[in-house]
Amino acid sequence: APGAAARGKPRLLLMGQRRSGKSSISSVVFHKMPPNETLFLESTARIQKDSMHSFMDFQVWDFPGQVDFMDPSFDLDAIFGEIGALIWVIDAQDEYVEAINRLNSTILNLQSSGYSAINIEVFIHKVDGLSDDYKLDIQRDVTQRIQDELSDHGFENAPINFHLTSIYNHSIFEAFSKVIQKLIPHLPYLEALLNNCCQKSGFEKAYLFDVLSKIYIATDSSPVDMPSYEICSDYIDVIVDVSEIYGWNRPAEYISFLEGAPWNKKLEDQVACKDAESCIVLTDGRRPIILREVNKYLALVAVVREGAYSKMPDIIENVNVTVGGLLEIFEITRRPKTRA
Ligand code: GDP
């Protein structure tokens, strides 16, 4: 079947024991549910295929009994064939030894049945309310239990990563960003474009966001700081909300009247730009934030250095060039796959 991989979407599978937090994670990250409301969610009882308007393709599997590696009629390829990453959710507030045993046997099975390239991403979840020391203790313990078991079976370098997550703060989005970045082909090229754009335009930080989930799939190479990520991610909400109320379409005469010189050097370019574009100035540090739609899933959001207004026409032009470059990279990524 022409699955997600054929459309060039990275595919993620979320697994873990019942009540570990899978439905909550997918509701908060992909359906904008406020974290408190997950208390009333019904537990995942079946395979959920979450097909939505996101850059990535995402499935949730409840653990108990669903994957029987020994059953010859079970089509492993249908589940794992196109998967880029398997996210395994462990409830850090609960007794987790059984969860780890299941995870270990799943990893061993994947390693020995030809799916050893799948990234295993362990979300040590619900760490809100735990002290920093305790979180690190748990992470150390979980890591140890998994690595011991694998090296007992002769697997020393299985691709396993650990993340401390909670739906009550941005850690869950940060973890997804790290997971997804490993699956993006040509990531260094995306980063180089963003670096270049930051340097030329005087941006403090630039993120390429999946608009629906607000997971960033690439950023420039300066360190990620939580405040800039949160501001950019909240700004996407603002723009999406305003656009939903007032519509996405802008008549050509508005564009020429409101978005011409002195903001833009070349009016023709602007008329050709049908994508959402916006800029807001924060009063705290007087730093502008810029958002520019890239395609139907992605947006470029950047924090501009203070006092960059005078350079705004150049900035808009740089952003246009960067968006063109990003689209070209995605085009290159897609081509060989459609031919196959
Ligand atoms: P599932 O069976 O794996 O889909 O688990 P659910 O998503 O139904 O979650 C089970 C319970 O865990 C719910 O009451 C959630 O509110 C709670 N939960 C999920 N994520 C978190 C988290 O990050 N922190 C805390 N404290 N509770 C969470």
Side-chain angles (χ1 to χ4, degrees):
R7 297 195 303 274
K9 284 190 181 190
R11 220 175 120 194
L12 306 175
L13 187 58
L14 197 67
M15 281 185 167
Q17 289 188 300
R18 205 155 277 169
R19 307 297 291 163
S20 57
K22 300 177 300 300
S23 330
S24 305
I25 292 172
S26 79
S27 304
V28 169
V29 174
F30 293 99
H31 301 284
K32 282 186 169 226
M33 180 181 276
N36 283 327
E37 287 179 22
T38 61
L39 289 168
F40 313 110
L41 269 179
E42 274 181 46
S43 195
T44 331
R46 60 196 160 80
I47 305 163
Q48 280 179 353
K49 267 206 165 196
D50 242 343
S51 61
M52 57 215 162
H53 297 288
S54 167
F55 176 75
M56 57 208 93
D57 197 71
F58 186 70
Q59 289 189 27
V60 182
W61 279 60
D62 209 30
F63 189 76
Q66 282 191 348
V67 185
D68 182 358
F69 288 90
M70 299 303 142
D71 180 351
S73 69
F74 205 91
D75 187 0
L76 283 182
D77 206 47
I79 316 167
F80 294 108
E82 294 178 338
I83 290 290
L86 170 60
I87 298 172
W88 194 283
V89 185
I90 290 178
D91 184 345
Q93 297 190 6
D94 197 11
E95 184 51 55
Y96 53 72
V97 173
E98 176 59 19
I100 290 177
N101 290 341
R102 297 223 179 218
L103 170 56
N104 280 338
S105 61
T106 305
I107 299 174
L108 291 174
N109 276 312
L110 287 178
Q111 293 283 327
S112 53
S113 41
Y115 300 100
S116 57
I118 296 175
N119 292 341
I120 312 283
E121 309 281 354
V122 181
F123 282 13
I124 303 171
H125 190 56
K126 307 193 193 178
V127 294
D128 47 280
L130 305 184
S131 75
D132 284 349
D133 279 350
Y134 190 58
K135 277 187 228 176
L136 291 179
D137 279 350
I138 292 189
Q139 175 161 5
R140 219 170 289 131
D141 186 47
V142 170
T143 310
Q144 195 68 48
R145 283 168 189 272
I146 294 171
Q147 258 141 23
D148 284 354
E149 178 76 9
L150 291 185
S151 55
D152 281 355
H153 288 82
F155 297 109
E156 297 293 345
N157 295 312
I160 306 176
N161 305 285
F162 299 88
H163 313 261
L164 294 163
T165 58
S166 163
I167 53 169
Y168 286 97
N169 55 45
H170 281 86
S171 60
I172 190 69
F173 295 93
E174 180 71 14
F176 267 107
S177 292
K178 290 196 177 134
V179 169
I180 206 74
Q181 287 190 24
K182 291 187 210 127
L183 304 179
I184 309 275
H186 305 306
L187 182 66
Y189 295 103
L190 298 178
E191 288 173 345
L193 275 175
L194 295 175
N195 279 339
N196 190 280
C197 186
C198 283
Q199 205 181 359
K200 281 199 176 137
S201 314
F203 292 164
E204 270 176 21
K205 191 78 196 139
Y207 294 97
L208 183 60
F209 270 100
D210 178 44
V211 173
L212 181 117
S213 61
K214 291 182 291 156
I215 291 165
Y216 66 87
I217 68 159
T219 181
D220 66 286
S221 51
S222 69
V224 171
D225 63 313
M226 269 298 134
S228 81
Y229 168 73
E230 285 172 19
I231 285 173
C232 291
S233 131
D234 289 347
Y235 190 44
I236 290 181
D237 279 343
V238 173
I239 299 305
V240 168
D241 288 348
V242 169
S243 307
E244 255 152 32
I245 297 169
Y246 295 102
W248 293 94
N249 286 332
R250 294 169 298 170
E253 65 267 31
Y254 281 26
I255 294 176
S256 62
F257 180 67
L258 293 171
E259 297 169 36
W263 285 78
N264 292 293
K265 277 182 189 160
K266 282 185 265 155
L267 198 53
E268 319 84 79
D269 287 352
Q270 265 327 99
V271 177
C273 171
K274 290 270 186 291
D275 303 316
E277 231 181 348
S278 74
C279 179
I280 195 169
V281 179
L282 297 179
T283 49
D284 64 341
R286 299 170 56 74
R287 294 177 308 177
I289 297 189
I290 286 190
L291 178 147
R292 168 66 196 275
E293 199 177 344
V294 173
N295 62 23
K296 68 178 170 173
Y297 303 126
L298 301 173
L300 179 68
V301 190
V303 182
V304 184
R305 285 224 173 77
E306 196 176 330
Y309 305 106
S310 55
K311 289 197 293 181
M312 206 48 99
D314 291 323
I315 290 179
I316 303 265
E317 203 160 273
N318 289 338
V319 168
N320 277 341
V321 171
T322 306
V323 167
L326 294 171
L327 288 171
E328 224 166 274
I329 292 174
F330 286 119
E331 204 44 54
I332 292 167
T333 311
R334 202 171 305 130
R335 237 174 266 145
K337 288 204 168 123
T338 47
R339 218 185 287 137

